[in-house]
């Protein structure tokens, strides 16, 4: 028998922040086992110090450690807690096998986590699991051993990647959409159990000169926001999008980037020019069909990839509607609706202040008015300070996900939404289901199943195929170069605009999931 060779590589991106610092994270972990050779590659990224250890195969299950800082589960008011959405990709140890989604047991009892603080919540479709605090409390989560049961038992001949995305639980409850003042706003409609159960005619009130643009009907199956859901704590980061691209086949990559996967090393796959608007995603290893290309981050354009200052934690721009929804389908999430967007921002509070931003007031501070410290790094911050600190009104591109939060910042200081979600006003536009002339009845909020088409496109039933306010994908919340009105929680400037059918410098993405 041949001697087993073990090779381990660790990539560390360090950043320690609390619940209100909140910048997006994704953990990539690999077991590469094939015949008599074992390749271990543990990529450990830190956001709220979330760390998932190197996974191992134990009795057909996958085991790994998990820990993160500044976790919470509220005991008063509406139930609210943070969680980690964990999902697994699997590659048969055969030449050129694709990465397929590995389904997990749908019974929570078949999974476990040690330490007595956390619990594993299985989901009915088996696409992943949520790991969260099991009781009210707050503070750091010590390293705990997670055991996941796969529907098809793990073995030592397949390769695995385990991903984790930080989420926030948005509880069931009444809320109001529209402040009656912002452009094209809703009319202050109360969403409650009755509207969710029966559906209703969506009233609209347009403060601009657009005139009466109709009143689409919302059926009971449409996610109005009343029912509970999970929301990504941060926008999709550039590192997250790179890891997505790196799990696709050559053909799938071809349809998700602007260039051929076989282009020269150093080419820019999703932006029109070198490091355009702070997007540092580049091609590292050209594809050798059918072998796919390998991508990485190189914000400082020095040809050395994935260095600490290469922008891995910067929000990912230059991704259009179909790019975002493909990422969400691949990760088992789904797009949020306009109503869910406003609930995440406003919570159950009646909009007493016209033209409020996601942090609940009209005070705002422009992050670009100051310089950046630790540019491109996991602790990138603006030297500007003040209430409602966010990226808007100029600058060269988006900033680090959750950059405005600090160890002692409040919701208003850090620009956080009601439930603790970051960057809902500013940085990058959110791409939400909604807009004008969209058949609302077709979208029923199905979660992604982790699988996309062989040509690299989302395929979950009844998701809007094209972006744009007239075809199902409206822009909300404003971007780093947006004007103040566009950042308002209830603003619908892009009600009839189809601009996000193509890639934009100021639009990104964020997903939600129905439990």
């Amino acid at each position: 028998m041949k001697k087993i060779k073990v090779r381990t590589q660790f990539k560390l991106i360090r950043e320690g922040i609390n619940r209100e610092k909140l910048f997006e994270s994704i953990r990539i972990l690999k077991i590469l086992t094939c015949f008599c050779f074992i390749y271990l590659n543990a990529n450990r990224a830190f956001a709220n110090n979330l760390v998932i250890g190197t996974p191992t195969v134990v009795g057909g299950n996958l085991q790994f450690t998990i820990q993160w800082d500044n976790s919470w589960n509220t005991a008063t008011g509406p139930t609210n807690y943070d969680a980690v959405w964990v999902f697994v990709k699997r590659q048969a140890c055969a030449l050129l096998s694709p990465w397929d989604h590995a389904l997990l047991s749908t019974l929570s009892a078949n999974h476990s986590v040690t330490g007595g603080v956390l619990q594993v919540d299985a989901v009915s479709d088996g696409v992943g699991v949520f790991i969260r605090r099991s009781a009210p409390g707050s503070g750091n989560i010590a390293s705990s051993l997670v055991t996941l049961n796969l529907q098809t038992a793990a073995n030592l001949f397949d390769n695995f990647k385990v991903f984790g995305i930080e989420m926030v639980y948005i509880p069931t409850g009444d809320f109001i959409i529209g402040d009656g003042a912002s452009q094209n706003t809703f009319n202050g409609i109360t969403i409650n159990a009755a509207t969710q159960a029966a559906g209703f005619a969506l009233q609209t009130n347009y403060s601009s000169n657009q005139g009466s643009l109709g009143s689409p009907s919302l059926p009971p199956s449409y996610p109005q926001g009343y029912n509970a859901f999970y929301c990504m704590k941060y926008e999709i980061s550039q590192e997250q999008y790179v890891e997505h691209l790196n799990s696709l086949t050559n053909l799938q990559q071809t349809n998700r980037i602007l260039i051929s996967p076989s282009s020269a090393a150093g080419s820019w796959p999703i932006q029109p020019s070198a490091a355009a608007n702070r997007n540092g995603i580049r091609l590292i290893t050209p594809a050798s069909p059918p072998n796919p290309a390998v991508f990485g981050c190189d914000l400082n354009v020095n040809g050395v990839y994935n260095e600490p200052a290469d922008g891995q934690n910067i929000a990912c721009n230059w991704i259009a509607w179909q790019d975002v929804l493909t990422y969400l389908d691949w990760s088992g999430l789904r797009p949020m609706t306009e109503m869910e967007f406003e609930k995440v921002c406003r919570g159950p509070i009646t909009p007493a202040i016209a033209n409020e931003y996601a942090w609940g007031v009209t005070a705002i501070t422009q992050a670009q008015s100051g310089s950046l410290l630790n540019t491109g790094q996991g602790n990138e911050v603006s030297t500007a300070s003040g209430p409602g600190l966010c990226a808007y009104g100029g600058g060269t591109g988006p900033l680090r996900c959750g950059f405005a939060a600090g160890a002692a910042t409040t919701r208003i200081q850090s620009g956080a939404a009601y439930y603790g979600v970051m960057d809902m006003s500013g940085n990058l536009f959110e791409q939400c289901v909604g807009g004008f002339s969209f058949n609302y009845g077709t979208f029923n909020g199905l979660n992604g199943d982790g699988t996309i088409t062989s040509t690299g496109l989302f395929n979950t039933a009844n998701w809007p195929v094209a972006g744009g306010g007239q075809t199902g994908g409206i822009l909300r919340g404003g971007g780093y170069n947006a004007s103040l009105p566009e950042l308002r929680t209830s603003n619908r400037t892009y009600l009839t605009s189809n601009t996000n059918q193509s890639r934009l410098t100021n639009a990104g993405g964020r997903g939600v999931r129905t439990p």
Side-chain angles (χ1 to χ4, degrees), residues 407-420:
T409 53
T410 64
R411 174 191 173 190
I412 293 176
Q413 290 170 333
S414 61
Y418 180 84
Y419 294 103

Side-chain angles (χ1 to χ4, degrees), residues 182-185 208 210 429 474-476 483 485-487 490-497:
S182 299
Q183 184 176 355
N184 297 337
T185 182
S208 68
Q210 305 221 22
F429 275 99
I474 187 173
L475 294 171
R476 296 292 298 264
S483 63
E486 295 173 331
L487 274 70
S490 294
N491 182 273
R492 304 174 77 211
T493 294
Y494 292 88
L495 180 69
T496 61
S497 171

Side-chain angles (χ1 to χ4, degrees), residues 451-489:
T451 301
I452 60 177
T453 68
S454 61
T455 56
L457 185 65
F458 67 92
N459 59 356
T460 299
N462 299 318
W463 285 13
V465 174
Q470 295 191 40
T471 50
I474 187 173
L475 294 171
R476 296 292 298 264
Y480 71 88
N481 58 357
S483 63
L484 283 175
E486 295 173 331
L487 274 70
R488 294 167 181 162
T489 296

Side-chain angles (χ1 to χ4, degrees), residues 169-181:
Y169 179 74
I170 313 299
T172 298
D174 299 0
F175 71 103
I176 294 175
I177 54 172
D179 63 4

Side-chain angles (χ1 to χ4, degrees), residues 247-258:
S247 75
L248 305 183
T249 66
N250 180 73
L251 178 58
Q252 289 171 332
Q253 290 177 343
T254 297
N255 291 295
R256 294 273 58 83
I257 61 177
L258 295 172

Side-chain angles (χ1 to χ4, degrees), residues 179 342 344-347 349-364 387-388 411-419 421 424-425 487-489:
D179 63 4
E342 292 207 25
V344 170
C345 292
R346 180 175 290 126
I349 299 174
T350 299
I353 303 174
N355 300 318
E356 65 184 352
Y357 302 111
W359 43 93
V361 298
T362 57
I364 189 169
R411 174 191 173 190
I412 293 176
Q413 290 170 333
S414 61
Y418 180 84
Y419 294 103
V421 177
M424 293 294 276
S425 289
L487 274 70
R488 294 167 181 162
T489 296

Side-chain angles (χ1 to χ4, degrees), residues 321-322 325 335 433-434 438 442-443 458 460-467 471-473:
W321 178 260
Q322 291 193 347
L325 267 64
V433 176
F438 169 57
T442 62
F443 183 69
F458 67 92
T460 299
N462 299 318
W463 285 13
V465 174
T471 50

